[in-house]
PDB file of all heavy atoms in Angstrom:
ATOM      1  N   ALA A  27      15.878   3.459  78.155  1.00 96.00           N
ATOM      2  CA  ALA A  27      15.559   2.770  79.412  1.00 96.00           C
ATOM      3  C   ALA A  27      16.107   1.366  79.493  1.00 96.00           C
ATOM      4  O   ALA A  27      15.993   0.731  80.535  1.00 96.00           O
ATOM      5  CB  ALA A  27      14.046   2.723  79.592  1.00 96.00           C
ATOM      6  N   ALA A  28      16.739   0.888  78.435  1.00 95.00           N
ATOM      7  CA  ALA A  28      17.101  -0.557  78.354  1.00 95.00           C
ATOM      8  C   ALA A  28      18.074  -0.961  79.455  1.00 95.00           C
ATOM      9  O   ALA A  28      17.824  -2.010  80.132  1.00 95.00           O
ATOM     10  CB  ALA A  28      17.698  -0.838  76.983  1.00 95.00           C
ATOM     11  N   PHE A  29      19.136  -0.220  79.653  1.00 94.00           N
ATOM     12  CA  PHE A  29      20.158  -0.687  80.609  1.00 94.00           C
ATOM     13  C   PHE A  29      19.616  -0.717  82.046  1.00 94.00           C
ATOM     14  O   PHE A  29      19.783  -1.734  82.727  1.00 94.00           O
ATOM     15  CB  PHE A  29      21.403   0.220  80.535  1.00 94.00           C
ATOM     16  CG  PHE A  29      22.530  -0.213  81.401  1.00 94.00           C
ATOM     17  CD1 PHE A  29      22.914  -1.554  81.475  1.00 94.00           C
ATOM     18  CD2 PHE A  29      23.251   0.718  82.114  1.00 94.00           C
ATOM     19  CE1 PHE A  29      23.958  -1.967  82.281  1.00 94.00           C
ATOM     20  CE2 PHE A  29      24.315   0.332  82.925  1.00 94.00           C
ATOM     21  CZ  PHE A  29      24.654  -1.016  83.002  1.00 94.00           C
ATOM     22  N   PRO A  30      18.960   0.325  82.557  1.00 93.00           N
ATOM     23  CA  PRO A  30      18.383   0.233  83.881  1.00 93.00           C
ATOM     24  C   PRO A  30      17.358  -0.888  84.037  1.00 93.00           C
ATOM     25  O   PRO A  30      17.279  -1.561  85.071  1.00 93.00           O
ATOM     26  CB  PRO A  30      17.746   1.619  84.101  1.00 93.00           C
ATOM     27  CG  PRO A  30      18.547   2.529  83.236  1.00 93.00           C
ATOM     28  CD  PRO A  30      18.837   1.714  82.026  1.00 93.00           C
ATOM     29  N   TYR A  31      16.546  -1.082  82.997  1.00 94.00           N
ATOM     30  CA  TYR A  31      15.558  -2.173  83.126  1.00 94.00           C
ATOM     31  C   TYR A  31      16.192  -3.534  83.034  1.00 94.00           C
ATOM     32  O   TYR A  31      15.657  -4.514  83.579  1.00 94.00           O
ATOM     33  CB  TYR A  31      14.457  -1.977  82.047  1.00 94.00           C
ATOM     34  CG  TYR A  31      13.402  -0.976  82.470  1.00 94.00           C
ATOM     35  CD1 TYR A  31      13.647   0.395  82.380  1.00 94.00           C
ATOM     36  CD2 TYR A  31      12.183  -1.381  82.963  1.00 94.00           C
ATOM     37  CE1 TYR A  31      12.729   1.319  82.779  1.00 94.00           C
ATOM     38  CE2 TYR A  31      11.234  -0.472  83.369  1.00 94.00           C
ATOM     39  CZ  TYR A  31      11.491   0.901  83.257  1.00 94.00           C
ATOM     40  OH  TYR A  31      10.540   1.808  83.648  1.00 94.00           O
ATOM     41  N   GLN A  32      17.313  -3.636  82.360  1.00 93.00           N
ATOM     42  CA  GLN A  32      18.037  -4.896  82.398  1.00 93.00           C
ATOM     43  C   GLN A  32      18.576  -5.157  83.813  1.00 93.00           C
ATOM     44  O   GLN A  32      18.544  -6.283  84.281  1.00 93.00           O
ATOM     45  CB  GLN A  32      19.224  -4.832  81.425  1.00 93.00           C
ATOM     46  CG  GLN A  32      20.029  -6.139  81.387  1.00 93.00           C
ATOM     47  CD  GLN A  32      21.239  -6.055  80.462  1.00 93.00           C
ATOM     48  OE1 GLN A  32      21.656  -4.964  80.081  1.00 93.00           O
ATOM     49  NE2 GLN A  32      21.793  -7.163  80.125  1.00 93.00           N
ATOM     50  N   TRP A  33      19.001  -4.080  84.475  1.00 91.00           N
ATOM     51  CA  TRP A  33      19.420  -4.204  85.892  1.00 91.00           C
ATOM     52  C   TRP A  33      18.275  -4.714  86.737  1.00 91.00           C
ATOM     53  O   TRP A  33      18.450  -5.540  87.653  1.00 91.00           O
ATOM     54  CB  TRP A  33      19.942  -2.886  86.402  1.00 91.00           C
ATOM     55  CG  TRP A  33      20.435  -2.919  87.832  1.00 91.00           C
ATOM     56  CD1 TRP A  33      21.674  -3.148  88.272  1.00 91.00           C
ATOM     57  CD2 TRP A  33      19.631  -2.744  89.011  1.00 91.00           C
ATOM     58  NE1 TRP A  33      21.729  -3.148  89.611  1.00 91.00           N
ATOM     59  CE2 TRP A  33      20.475  -2.896  90.140  1.00 91.00           C
ATOM     60  CE3 TRP A  33      18.260  -2.509  89.254  1.00 91.00           C
ATOM     61  CZ2 TRP A  33      20.022  -2.822  91.441  1.00 91.00           C
ATOM     62  CZ3 TRP A  33      17.817  -2.410  90.549  1.00 91.00           C
ATOM     63  CH2 TRP A  33      18.686  -2.564  91.646  1.00 91.00           C
ATOM     64  N   ILE A  34      17.070  -4.229  86.491  1.00 90.00           N
ATOM     65  CA  ILE A  34      15.906  -4.647  87.255  1.00 90.00           C
ATOM     66  C   ILE A  34      15.698  -6.152  87.069  1.00 90.00           C
ATOM     67  O   ILE A  34      15.456  -6.865  88.047  1.00 90.00           O
ATOM     68  CB  ILE A  34      14.660  -3.844  86.788  1.00 90.00           C
ATOM     69  CG1 ILE A  34      14.777  -2.391  87.191  1.00 90.00           C
ATOM     70  CG2 ILE A  34      13.386  -4.469  87.369  1.00 90.00           C
ATOM     71  CD1 ILE A  34      13.714  -1.507  86.568  1.00 90.00           C
ATOM     72  N   VAL A  35      15.781  -6.628  85.857  1.00 90.00           N
ATOM     73  CA  VAL A  35      15.578  -8.052  85.598  1.00 90.00           C
ATOM     74  C   VAL A  35      16.641  -8.872  86.320  1.00 90.00           C
ATOM     75  O   VAL A  35      16.343  -9.915  86.890  1.00 90.00           O
ATOM     76  CB  VAL A  35      15.647  -8.339  84.099  1.00 90.00           C
ATOM     77  CG1 VAL A  35      15.607  -9.826  83.823  1.00 90.00           C
ATOM     78  CG2 VAL A  35      14.451  -7.652  83.378  1.00 90.00           C
ATOM     79  N   ASN A  36      17.882  -8.376  86.348  1.00 90.00           N
ATOM     80  CA  ASN A  36      18.978  -9.124  86.983  1.00 90.00           C
ATOM     81  C   ASN A  36      18.957  -9.020  88.502  1.00 90.00           C
ATOM     82  O   ASN A  36      19.618  -9.799  89.183  1.00 90.00           O
ATOM     83  CB  ASN A  36      20.329  -8.619  86.465  1.00 90.00           C
ATOM     84  CG  ASN A  36      20.516  -8.893  84.975  1.00 90.00           C
ATOM     85  OD1 ASN A  36      19.905  -9.824  84.435  1.00 90.00           O
ATOM     86  ND2 ASN A  36      21.340  -8.115  84.333  1.00 90.00           N
ATOM     87  N   ASN A  37      18.227  -8.032  89.040  1.00 86.00           N
ATOM     88  CA  ASN A  37      18.147  -7.820  90.488  1.00 86.00           C
ATOM     89  C   ASN A  37      16.684  -7.730  90.915  1.00 86.00           C
ATOM     90  O   ASN A  37      16.276  -6.802  91.620  1.00 86.00           O
ATOM     91  CB  ASN A  37      18.926  -6.568  90.900  1.00 86.00           C
ATOM     92  CG  ASN A  37      20.378  -6.629  90.573  1.00 86.00           C
ATOM     93  OD1 ASN A  37      21.201  -7.088  91.334  1.00 86.00           O
ATOM     94  ND2 ASN A  37      20.713  -6.182  89.362  1.00 86.00           N
ATOM     95  N   LEU A  38      15.906  -8.703  90.508  1.00 84.00           N
ATOM     96  CA  LEU A  38      14.443  -8.589  90.634  1.00 84.00           C
ATOM     97  C   LEU A  38      14.006  -8.490  92.087  1.00 84.00           C
ATOM     98  O   LEU A  38      13.082  -7.748  92.428  1.00 84.00           O
ATOM     99  CB  LEU A  38      13.786  -9.797  89.961  1.00 84.00           C
ATOM    100  CG  LEU A  38      12.316  -9.615  89.559  1.00 84.00           C
ATOM    101  CD1 LEU A  38      12.167  -8.408  88.642  1.00 84.00           C
ATOM    102  CD2 LEU A  38      11.823 -10.886  88.891  1.00 84.00           C
ATOM    103  N   ALA A  39      14.629  -9.259  92.981  1.00 79.00           N
ATOM    104  CA  ALA A  39      14.212  -9.258  94.370  1.00 79.00           C
ATOM    105  C   ALA A  39      14.387  -7.875  95.012  1.00 79.00           C
ATOM    106  O   ALA A  39      13.500  -7.385  95.726  1.00 79.00           O
ATOM    107  CB  ALA A  39      14.979 -10.301  95.169  1.00 79.00           C
ATOM    108  N   LEU A  40      15.504  -7.245  94.744  1.00 80.00           N
ATOM    109  CA  LEU A  40      15.766  -5.907  95.282  1.00 80.00           C
ATOM    110  C   LEU A  40      14.905  -4.864  94.597  1.00 80.00           C
ATOM    111  O   LEU A  40      14.341  -3.964  95.253  1.00 80.00           O
ATOM    112  CB  LEU A  40      17.236  -5.541  95.111  1.00 80.00           C
ATOM    113  CG  LEU A  40      17.690  -4.154  95.626  1.00 80.00           C
ATOM    114  CD1 LEU A  40      17.386  -4.034  97.100  1.00 80.00           C
ATOM    115  CD2 LEU A  40      19.168  -3.960  95.348  1.00 80.00           C
ATOM    116  N   ALA A  41      14.742  -4.976  93.277  1.00 79.00           N
ATOM    117  CA  ALA A  41      14.015  -3.983  92.505  1.00 79.00           C
ATOM    118  C   ALA A  41      12.524  -4.009  92.803  1.00 79.00           C
ATOM    119  O   ALA A  41      11.837  -2.988  92.640  1.00 79.00           O
ATOM    120  CB  ALA A  41      14.248  -4.164  90.997  1.00 79.00           C
ATOM    121  N   THR A  42      12.005  -5.110  93.226  1.00 72.00           N
ATOM    122  CA  THR A  42      10.563  -5.218  93.536  1.00 72.00           C
ATOM    123  C   THR A  42      10.320  -5.224  95.024  1.00 72.00           C
ATOM    124  O   THR A  42       9.311  -5.789  95.510  1.00 72.00           O
ATOM    125  CB  THR A  42       9.954  -6.484  92.910  1.00 72.00           C
ATOM    126  OG1 THR A  42      10.657  -7.633  93.397  1.00 72.00           O
ATOM    127  CG2 THR A  42      10.069  -6.440  91.398  1.00 72.00           C
ATOM    128  N   GLY A  43      11.222  -4.602  95.769  1.00 63.00           N
ATOM    129  CA  GLY A  43      11.123  -4.630  97.231  1.00 63.00           C
ATOM    130  C   GLY A  43       9.854  -4.008  97.790  1.00 63.00           C
ATOM    131  O   GLY A  43       9.433  -4.314  98.884  1.00 63.00           O
ATOM    132  N   ALA A  44       9.195  -3.116  97.022  1.00 52.00           N
ATOM    133  CA  ALA A  44       7.969  -2.475  97.479  1.00 52.00           C
ATOM    134  C   ALA A  44       6.750  -3.056  96.852  1.00 52.00           C
ATOM    135  O   ALA A  44       5.660  -2.530  97.027  1.00 52.00           O
ATOM    136  CB  ALA A  44       8.034  -0.956  97.178  1.00 52.00           C
ATOM    137  N   SER A  45       6.876  -4.153  96.087  1.00 44.00           N
ATOM    138  CA  SER A  45       5.746  -4.675  95.372  1.00 44.00           C
ATOM    139  C   SER A  45       4.635  -5.236  96.258  1.00 44.00           C
ATOM    140  O   SER A  45       3.537  -5.432  95.826  1.00 44.00           O
ATOM    141  CB  SER A  45       6.197  -5.745  94.364  1.00 44.00           C
ATOM    142  OG  SER A  45       6.761  -6.837  95.047  1.00 44.00           O
ATOM    143  N   GLY A  46       5.006  -5.518  97.511  1.00 45.00           N
ATOM    144  CA  GLY A  46       3.988  -6.019  98.419  1.00 45.00           C
ATOM    145  C   GLY A  46       2.861  -5.034  98.649  1.00 45.00           C
ATOM    146  O   GLY A  46       1.732  -5.420  98.975  1.00 45.00           O
ATOM    147  N   SER A  47       3.121  -3.760  98.392  1.00 51.00           N
ATOM    148  CA  SER A  47       2.073  -2.758  98.580  1.00 51.00           C
ATOM    149  C   SER A  47       0.994  -2.891  97.504  1.00 51.00           C
ATOM    150  O   SER A  47      -0.066  -2.283  97.625  1.00 51.00           O
ATOM    151  CB  SER A  47       2.661  -1.350  98.528  1.00 51.00           C
ATOM    152  OG  SER A  47       3.307  -1.133  97.293  1.00 51.00           O
ATOM    153  N   LEU A  48       1.290  -3.644  96.419  1.00 51.00           N
ATOM    154  CA  LEU A  48       0.292  -3.834  95.379  1.00 51.00           C
ATOM    155  C   LEU A  48      -0.800  -4.814  95.818  1.00 51.00           C
ATOM    156  O   LEU A  48      -1.890  -4.827  95.280  1.00 51.00           O
ATOM    157  CB  LEU A  48       0.941  -4.347  94.116  1.00 51.00           C
ATOM    158  CG  LEU A  48       1.917  -3.419  93.409  1.00 51.00           C
ATOM    159  CD1 LEU A  48       2.645  -4.197  92.326  1.00 51.00           C
ATOM    160  CD2 LEU A  48       1.195  -2.237  92.806  1.00 51.00           C
ATOM    161  N   ASP A  49      -0.491  -5.683  96.789  1.00 52.00           N
ATOM    162  CA  ASP A  49      -1.417  -6.765  97.181  1.00 52.00           C
ATOM    163  C   ASP A  49      -1.815  -7.570  95.938  1.00 52.00           C
ATOM    164  O   ASP A  49      -2.981  -7.798  95.718  1.00 52.00           O
ATOM    165  CB  ASP A  49      -2.669  -6.196  97.869  1.00 52.00           C
ATOM    166  CG  ASP A  49      -2.370  -5.724  99.282  1.00 52.00           C
ATOM    167  OD1 ASP A  49      -1.311  -6.091  99.795  1.00 52.00           O
ATOM    168  OD2 ASP A  49      -3.176  -4.991  99.834  1.00 52.00           O
ATOM    169  N   VAL A  50      -0.853  -7.979  95.144  1.00 53.00           N
ATOM    170  CA  VAL A  50      -1.141  -8.749  93.935  1.00 53.00           C
ATOM    171  C   VAL A  50      -1.668 -10.129  94.339  1.00 53.00           C
ATOM    172  O   VAL A  50      -1.007 -10.889  95.029  1.00 53.00           O
ATOM    173  CB  VAL A  50       0.119  -8.879  93.046  1.00 53.00           C
ATOM    174  CG1 VAL A  50      -0.203  -9.695  91.852  1.00 53.00           C
ATOM    175  CG2 VAL A  50       0.595  -7.504  92.662  1.00 53.00           C
ATOM    176  N   ALA A  51      -2.871 -10.438  93.867  1.00 51.00           N
ATOM    177  CA  ALA A  51      -3.490 -11.735  94.089  1.00 51.00           C
ATOM    178  C   ALA A  51      -3.495 -12.130  95.555  1.00 51.00           C
ATOM    179  O   ALA A  51      -3.300 -13.268  95.904  1.00 51.00           O
ATOM    180  CB  ALA A  51      -2.792 -12.808  93.233  1.00 51.00           C
ATOM    181  N   ASP A  52      -3.650 -11.158  96.444  1.00 55.00           N
ATOM    182  CA  ASP A  52      -3.696 -11.424  97.861  1.00 55.00           C
ATOM    183  C   ASP A  52      -5.111 -11.539  98.308  1.00 55.00           C
ATOM    184  O   ASP A  52      -5.801 -10.552  98.529  1.00 55.00           O
ATOM    185  CB  ASP A  52      -2.963 -10.279  98.604  1.00 55.00           C
ATOM    186  CG  ASP A  52      -2.903 -10.522 100.099  1.00 55.00           C
ATOM    187  OD1 ASP A  52      -3.103 -11.674 100.499  1.00 55.00           O
ATOM    188  OD2 ASP A  52      -2.696  -9.565 100.846  1.00 55.00           O
ATOM    189  N   GLY A  53      -5.615 -12.783  98.427  1.00 63.00           N
ATOM    190  CA  GLY A  53      -7.036 -12.971  98.780  1.00 63.00           C
ATOM    191  C   GLY A  53      -7.758 -13.642  97.625  1.00 63.00           C
ATOM    192  O   GLY A  53      -7.151 -14.215  96.706  1.00 63.00           O
ATOM    193  N   GLY A  54      -9.080 -13.632  97.655  1.00 75.00           N
ATOM    194  CA  GLY A  54      -9.869 -14.281  96.655  1.00 75.00           C
ATOM    195  C   GLY A  54      -9.752 -13.566  95.295  1.00 75.00           C
ATOM    196  O   GLY A  54      -9.432 -12.406  95.205  1.00 75.00           O
ATOM    197  N   PHE A  55     -10.081 -14.301  94.254  1.00 78.00           N
ATOM    198  CA  PHE A  55      -9.993 -13.780  92.900  1.00 78.00           C
ATOM    199  C   PHE A  55     -10.832 -12.514  92.744  1.00 78.00           C
ATOM    200  O   PHE A  55     -10.363 -11.498  92.245  1.00 78.00           O
ATOM    201  CB  PHE A  55     -10.441 -14.843  91.904  1.00 78.00           C
ATOM    202  CG  PHE A  55     -10.347 -14.416  90.457  1.00 78.00           C
ATOM    203  CD1 PHE A  55      -9.205 -14.618  89.735  1.00 78.00           C
ATOM    204  CD2 PHE A  55     -11.436 -13.809  89.822  1.00 78.00           C
ATOM    205  CE1 PHE A  55      -9.125 -14.221  88.402  1.00 78.00           C
ATOM    206  CE2 PHE A  55     -11.358 -13.394  88.493  1.00 78.00           C
ATOM    207  CZ  PHE A  55     -10.219 -13.602  87.805  1.00 78.00           C
ATOM    208  N   PHE A  56     -12.092 -12.585  93.148  1.00 83.00           N
ATOM    209  CA  PHE A  56     -12.997 -11.444  92.962  1.00 83.00           C
ATOM    210  C   PHE A  56     -12.796 -10.373  94.041  1.00 83.00           C
ATOM    211  O   PHE A  56     -12.841  -9.184  93.747  1.00 83.00           O
ATOM    212  CB  PHE A  56     -14.446 -11.938  92.982  1.00 83.00           C
ATOM    213  CG  PHE A  56     -14.817 -12.773  91.767  1.00 83.00           C
ATOM    214  CD1 PHE A  56     -14.942 -14.115  91.885  1.00 83.00           C
ATOM    215  CD2 PHE A  56     -14.988 -12.176  90.544  1.00 83.00           C
ATOM    216  CE1 PHE A  56     -15.268 -14.893  90.782  1.00 83.00           C
ATOM    217  CE2 PHE A  56     -15.309 -12.920  89.416  1.00 83.00           C
ATOM    218  CZ  PHE A  56     -15.437 -14.289  89.547  1.00 83.00           C
ATOM    219  N   SER A  57     -12.531 -10.779  95.300  1.00 86.00           N
ATOM    220  CA  SER A  57     -12.437  -9.790  96.354  1.00 86.00           C
ATOM    221  C   SER A  57     -11.260  -8.890  96.151  1.00 86.00           C
ATOM    222  O   SER A  57     -11.312  -7.660  96.416  1.00 86.00           O
ATOM    223  CB  SER A  57     -12.341 -10.507  97.708  1.00 86.00           C
ATOM    224  OG  SER A  57     -11.161 -11.326  97.767  1.00 86.00           O
ATOM    225  N   THR A  58     -10.126  -9.432  95.659  1.00 87.00           N
ATOM    226  CA  THR A  58      -8.921  -8.607  95.431  1.00 87.00           C
ATOM    227  C   THR A  58      -9.201  -7.586  94.356  1.00 87.00           C
ATOM    228  O   THR A  58      -8.864  -6.391  94.501  1.00 87.00           O
ATOM    229  CB  THR A  58      -7.752  -9.504  95.016  1.00 87.00           C
ATOM    230  OG1 THR A  58      -7.471 -10.433  96.055  1.00 87.00           O
ATOM    231  CG2 THR A  58      -6.532  -8.654  94.741  1.00 87.00           C
ATOM    232  N   ARG A  59      -9.831  -7.996  93.285  1.00 89.00           N
ATOM    233  CA  ARG A  59     -10.080  -7.059  92.161  1.00 89.00           C
ATOM    234  C   ARG A  59     -11.151  -6.014  92.536  1.00 89.00           C
ATOM    235  O   ARG A  59     -11.050  -4.892  92.138  1.00 89.00           O
ATOM    236  CB  ARG A  59     -10.510  -7.861  90.925  1.00 89.00           C
ATOM    237  CG  ARG A  59      -9.308  -8.603  90.306  1.00 89.00           C
ATOM    238  CD  ARG A  59      -9.718  -9.750  89.419  1.00 89.00           C
ATOM    239  NE  ARG A  59      -8.527 -10.308  88.791  1.00 89.00           N
ATOM    240  CZ  ARG A  59      -7.701 -11.183  89.382  1.00 89.00           C
ATOM    241  NH1 ARG A  59      -7.911 -11.558  90.646  1.00 89.00           N
ATOM    242  NH2 ARG A  59      -6.639 -11.673  88.728  1.00 89.00           N
ATOM    243  N   ILE A  60     -12.152  -6.435  93.291  1.00 91.00           N
ATOM    244  CA  ILE A  60     -13.146  -5.480  93.738  1.00 91.00           C
ATOM    245  C   ILE A  60     -12.520  -4.457  94.670  1.00 91.00           C
ATOM    246  O   ILE A  60     -12.767  -3.218  94.580  1.00 91.00           O
ATOM    247  CB  ILE A  60     -14.298  -6.195  94.441  1.00 91.00           C
ATOM    248  CG1 ILE A  60     -15.113  -6.991  93.433  1.00 91.00           C
ATOM    249  CG2 ILE A  60     -15.204  -5.187  95.160  1.00 91.00           C
ATOM    250  CD1 ILE A  60     -16.177  -7.898  94.053  1.00 91.00           C
TER     251      ILE A  60
END
C-alpha cells in the first residue's frame, strides 16, 4: 500500500475530498462525539 498512500500524502486536498462527510470536530466537543 506504500506507493498509493504516498500519493495520498502528496495530494491530500484531492484525496480527502469527501472528508467533510465525517463532520470532524464540527460543533461542540461533546455534542459532536455524542
Side-chain angles (χ1 to χ4, degrees):
F29 185 43
Y31 277 78
Q32 181 184 16
W33 181 92
I34 291 170
V35 173
N36 295 336
N37 299 270
L38 201 57
L40 180 58
T42 58
S45 62
S47 60
L48 294 171
D49 286 344
V50 178
D52 183 17
F55 182 89
F56 291 106
S57 62
T58 299
R59 286 159 176 81
I60 291 173

